[in-house]
Amino acid sequence: MSTHDSSSADDGGLVQLLLPDGERIADAGYDKWVADVDDDQLKSLYEDMVVVRRIDTEATALQRQGELGLWPPLIGQEAAQIGSGRTLRQDDFVFASYRENGVAYCRGVEYTDLLRVWRGHTHSGWNPYDINMAPSQVIIGSQTLHATGYALGCQQDGVDTVAISYFGDGATSQGDPNEAMVFAASFQAPVIFFCQNNQWAISEPVGLQARAPIASRAPGFGIPSMRVDGNDVLAVMAATRIALDRARSGNGPTYIEAVTYRMGPHTTSDDPSRYVDVLEREGWQAKDPISRLEAYLQSRGLLTDEFTGRVNATADDVAAKVREGCLGLEPPEPLSVFDHVYSEPTSWLERQKDEYVQYLQTFEGGQ
Amino acid sequence: MSTHDSSSADDGGLVQLLLPDGERIADAGYDKWVADVDDDQLKSLYEDMVVVRRIDTEATALQRQGELGLWPPLIGQEAAQIGSGRTLRQDDFVFASYRENGVAYCRGVEYTDLLRVWRGHTHSGWNPYDINMAPSQVIIGSQTLHATGYALGCQQDGVDTVAISYFGDGATSQGDPNEAMVFAASFQAPVIFFCQNNQWAISEPVGLQARAPIASRAPGFGIPSMRVDGNDVLAVMAATRIALDRARSGNGPTYIEAVTYRMGPHTTSDDPSRYVDVLEREGWQAKDPISRLEAYLQSRGLLTDEFTGRVNATADDVAAKVREGCLGLEPPEPLSVFDHVYSEPTSWLERQKDEYVQYLQTFEGGQ
Amino acid sequence: MSSMTLSRAINSGLRRALEDDPKVLLMGEDIGTLGGVFRVTDGLQKDFGAHRVMDTPLAEAGIIGTAVGLAYRGYRPVCEIQFDGFIYPGFDQIITQVAKLHYRTGGAVKMPLTIRVPFGGGIGAVEHHSESPEAYFAHTAGLRVVSCSNPQDAHTMIRQAVACDDPVMFFEPKRRYWTKGEVDEEITGQTPSIDSAAIVAAGDDVTLVTYGPLVATARDAAIAASDEGVSVEVIDLRSLSPIDFATVEASVRKTGRLVVTHEASQFGGIGAEIAASITRRCFYYLEAAPERVTGFDVPYPAAELEDHHLPDLDRMLDAVDRVMDRHNSLSGREG
Amino acid sequence: MSSMTLSRAINSGLRRALEDDPKVLLMGEDIGTLGGVFRVTDGLQKDFGAHRVMDTPLAEAGIIGTAVGLAYRGYRPVCEIQFDGFIYPGFDQIITQVAKLHYRTGGAVKMPLTIRVPFGGGIGAVEHHSESPEAYFAHTAGLRVVSCSNPQDAHTMIRQAVACDDPVMFFEPKRRYWTKGEVDEEITGQTPSIDSAAIVAAGDDVTLVTYGPLVATARDAAIAASDEGVSVEVIDLRSLSPIDFATVEASVRKTGRLVVTHEASQFGGIGAEIAASITRRCFYYLEAAPERVTGFDVPYPAAELEDHHLPDLDRMLDAVDRVMDRHNSLSGREG
Ligand SMILES: Cc1ncc(C[n+]2csc(CCOP(=O)(O)OP(=O)(O)O)c2C)c(N)n1
Ligand SMILES: Cc1ncc(C[n+]2csc(CCOP(=O)(O)OP(=O)(O)O)c2C)c(N)n1
Ligand SMILES: [Mg+2]
Ligand SMILES: [Mg+2]
């Protein structure tokens, strides 16, 4: 176990607790935040990562088979999502983008609820209050403000609930996440800005969005930040816990840049062969979050056949449920197109619906 | 002459060459950028500052007398505006907000052109290409992007022209200036972001917008920044020249925070007695940009009665011309309301105008 | 009942809303210490504290976006946009989030935001301070859009807006802020409902439909028309989305003639929707094509020109003459 | 002449524009290396370099705002907004700057931006990828708004848009990107002008007005109607601001009946303006009230529901029956 200290983010340095080869390195500032992570927890983190990757593969297959309209894979980002998602309390509230299926998994989402949006059945797979997670957000960066506002609400309520917002490296260029930092800093909102820097915004490399390390932006707004190895589940956990602790104890927002890599396409519609360098991708393959934890488990003698067998069986089981759930989803009712535009129907919309109902009736009894 | 070095902005330190009492202090990094400022130049900087303050007083009086609809005073910010405005080349292009009458003065604006907007005659007092300065911008922060785009154009044209954008402390909270930094950094555009931190955005103190010094924001975007005493005309000149030099030599954008104070109301419509602490204002009074330079001139034996007499006479003369010009402005023609919506009139608008002409004719010869 | 200005009536409505529901929060630029540039929130921060009447950083997307988060958390934020022309930086949050979140979540998440917008011209202001952007929002499903024209409505409607579970764009006719009127602050509840129109002058020959700042002008026009023997019924829409078409329809069936007037530009404005909808609903009752008297299709002009842009009494009367087929500015021309 | 898809026709139009004028620049997200998510800019960065075909940071206000600065400097930026629903973060720059700068500066500063927006639904996409926001822009003085419906127009119009000294919102019917047609790339100049409408099917009984993605559907509807003995004239507006009302008016004077159809929501949409303007211009020629067949006044629904939102051939025919007073879905009901 080598020793290493990584307190400041501004030099572009990276908090790491697990090296790509699985070696656990000590870090004076961060170790204590994961001191409680025992063998069982390590194994369960591993299981979660394997399962969400398996869900991802299954969903991609479903899309290829025409059962989903689209799917945004998270492969490569399991540690960033599970490491942070697992540290949250049930009452914390998540405002994510569209790629955080791993986080949703940690929130206890139903498998079928993960798919409704991508099968085209709804704009929100779940009731946000059931799992304290907002629906996927397509407008890049928008949700950072929502998290900040939610956090202000928690502050006003006098509770130690925290809001966390997930967004990508590309999102950092938008106005909203910058305004969110201004508001969060100004009101010392208990919010965490969790940026998964997966190196790409569709075809655009992170260098087009940011000339300095992304984590270095926050301090200029008066927000402390950390830059962590996003493929290192322990480092991500530690950083998120630091941020949660700061927020819960009334010390305001924190910004985390989790440096990771999007191993797959942007979505199933994307063709990364047009822009991704194979060598770059291979380089990141060697830093894979799952194999890294696997190596560490191995080094601790925890990677037994029995254990991996059980994990894979669980993953297969989940995948089967995902598929089954997907195929069993009931399409929405035609007239539900008019529902929930307002909390109560308006005269105008009722009339519109009414005329449409009349119209649909002309097809019955075969006009 | 005491010595002082202020290379880094991030500590919240302030570049100063002239102390409030008029003492000239040496600064290893900045002195050379104003080494050419001889007695004549010092005197002419002084004259400009006195003149623009006098214009301001006259315009405020005109507003009080009902001759202008509104006026945004710059009093207190003369050094920030003259110090930077005077360093620009004629081909550089300025994108300012509404308060930069001092900068416009440096650009050689006609006095009457300063007033047209505020008399309600037009939305742009001047043809931007006549003085290479965009019309006043009311949408807070918007012009930072225009400056960045203009700078990209200069870069593409292969010329060493620079675009400079002026904006306030309040503007830093808006999305646009943050996006402008992203774009400027990404393309290394020859642009200067010149923030006049005058401590107030109408009634809101700068602390509501920014928890860290404003100048510390830019480095996180990969843009070098300086924090200068905005009431010190020499420090402002030096900083602006550093930024211009960097831009002209292809080394990209610079961010300058000029720390100054809005001594007057936000505009003539504003009532700062509702929110400004008198003591705070008095504290800043002691750091006044004009009296500071006056003291320095005095210490160098340049503040002769003959000189001040001449300056005051010039200021009075300009003020008289401003007044005369204002009163002599011809109101716009009624039908000009339809002009220049498009580069060529559209059928729709022609018809609308036509009907309005018919309508106006019903009043002639008494219907 | 007490006599107060429209601005004061909103102030008192907001005060009641803050008193009635601890989840109500006010947010905006300069609304606290200063009490707003129009003093609409005067004294509220002092009485309710900086947590409930929040001066925010200068960023409209930030204001609306954080209000969305607060609404997620069960709050009822009332956001002030300082002037009409400054709403656009917050447009994305309004259109893609505020308007859609209830629908997006199948009704699970409520967005009871009220977005207050002092709007309209006629005050001699500089650029971006005199706009009438209501049509953008009226075209956006999921938003309610209302505008008040008198102190009583201002008071009642702001309270109804804050109490409404839907997002409400609340357009305040800034040039009428200092209009005085009697206000009953004890009125509570939902009558008249926030989305009902009001007949503010009865008439038989022409229906003149308007809202917000031009209601007063339209009433004057009706008086002037009656001097010339034309009986004009003036309808204050109050709600621009949805529109109380039943009231307008009943009036037009009676009068057979419709004039719509608003400050906003004509092309694609609210007037077009009213003309189109009423033509459909009253086709066989119409004696003349509906006329529109609106701001021209130009960017809002400089203050010295605004009188040549804004509809006024004379232009309204000219349109009344047109639908009455009396001598008017277009007599002798076709269509 | 060669046969190509609509997407390819725009690509070739952009190529010509880049060749013809060194001041033309393309800007947008993923338009360079990737060639755009719809491949509309495929190959252009390779051929013209990263300075003329610029991948920009992910920020729409940034794209439009820097394009404004470039226009100040004499450039003619062509901005791509990746999908309709992502235009709103750039809305402020479009409304308060792009649309107004020419007017603001008394004509001194030209804003020859082209803002390309793939728009409309019918492609089974997720939220924010199927919208029709054109009415917002059409209501904004200072902007031109156009939409193409076929490869030849796509090619000609994009070149005209880029050459136009005014800002042009260029709406591309994304579900028709793969429609093929003959394109003459040698056509230059301004005929037909970018703001003229085209009669794409002649008829005598009903005028059916549309644009963009629904032109093809409307043509099919005309064919289906003719099978039932109703002769429908289909007008492709091409320009939504200004609208070529002379062409529509002439048609309605002939047919006496108007149906307007678009994907955008009805309330306050383009259809309202057309109904209102044509009612005024053709009042004594109208046999029936103009009808509108549009997307409903709901946020764009989930993909599985879009067929219950978008106008289709049957809904168009139903409206044709209504204006013809033939048996239709509303027979027996009033108004
Ligand atoms: C406002 C807006 N503009 C553009 C898009 C199109 N778009 C979808 S995802 C994406 C890239 C996002 O990159 P990043 O923020 O890094 O997140 P990642 O996809 O890598 O998780 C873009 C440009 C969008 N969804 N919203
Ligand atoms: C988008 C927008 N929002 C709000 C306003 C109203 N407003 C005008 S000036 C101002 C304060 C600006 O403060 P700052 O940027 O510090 O500039 P200063 O006036 O101090 O020069 C505000 C809020 C505006 N003009 N534009
Ligand atoms: Mg990314
Ligand atoms: Mg300020």
Side-chain angles (χ1 to χ4, degrees), chain B residues 10-160:
Chain B
D10 291 53
D11 57 356
L14 212 57
V15 179
Q16 273 187 325
L17 300 180
L18 274 184
L19 295 182
D21 63 5
E23 186 192 352
R24 172 77 165 85
I25 51 172
D27 184 296
Y30 287 81
D31 278 343
K32 62 172 175 290
W33 293 95
V34 287
D36 64 316
V37 180
D38 59 18
D39 290 353
D40 280 352
Q41 275 202 58
L42 279 175
K43 285 159 72 180
S44 107
L45 286 167
Y46 176 79
E47 177 181 309
D48 283 358
M49 286 162 65
V50 170
V51 168
V52 299
R53 181 171 290 188
R54 188 72 182 76
I55 292 175
D56 215 85
T57 320
E58 195 65 23
T60 298
L62 283 163
Q63 196 280 335
R64 298 292 177 225
Q65 292 151 16
E67 299 295 343
L68 295 179
L70 191 75
W71 180 257
L74 61 65
I75 293 188
Q77 301 178 218
E78 294 86 353
Q81 295 195 19
I82 301 298
S84 58
R86 286 270 303 251
T87 63
L88 304 178
R89 238 167 41 192
Q90 197 51 47
D91 62 320
D92 294 333
F93 208 101
V94 177
F95 292 86
S97 78
Y98 38 80
R99 204 184 293 290
E100 283 72 40
N101 297 303
V103 178
Y105 179 81
C106 297
R107 303 306 287 164
V109 72
E110 302 279 340
Y111 304 136
T112 47
D113 286 354
L114 275 179
L115 303 176
R116 288 180 203 281
V117 165
W118 311 105
R119 199 165 161 87
H121 284 193
T122 170
H123 291 320
S124 175
W126 53 82
N127 178 328
Y129 296 117
D130 284 348
I131 59 171
N132 284 343
M133 177 164 176
S136 61
Q137 175 63 258
V138 173
I139 303 297
I140 299 296
S142 186
Q143 73 278 12
T144 53
L145 283 167
H146 308 166
T148 304
Y150 193 94
L152 286 179
C154 298
Q155 189 184 54
Q156 301 240 5
D157 290 343
V159 296
D160 68 351

Side-chain angles (χ1 to χ4, degrees), chain A residues 113-127:
Chain A
D113 286 354
L114 276 179
L115 303 177
R116 288 180 203 281
V117 164
W118 312 104
R119 197 164 162 90
H121 284 195
T122 171
H123 291 321
S124 176
W126 52 82
N127 179 329

Side-chain angles (χ1 to χ4, degrees), chain A residues 22-67:
Chain A
E23 187 191 352
R24 172 76 166 85
I25 51 172
D27 184 296
Y30 287 81
D31 277 343
K32 63 172 173 291
W33 294 94
V34 286
D36 65 315
V37 180
D38 58 16
D39 289 354
D40 279 352
Q41 276 201 58
L42 279 175
K43 285 160 73 180
S44 108
L45 286 168
Y46 176 79
E47 176 180 308
D48 282 357
M49 287 161 66
V50 170
V51 168
V52 299
R53 181 170 291 188
R54 189 69 183 77
I55 292 175
D56 216 84
T57 320
E58 193 66 22
T60 298
L62 284 163
Q63 195 280 333
R64 300 289 177 227
Q65 292 151 16
E67 299 295 344

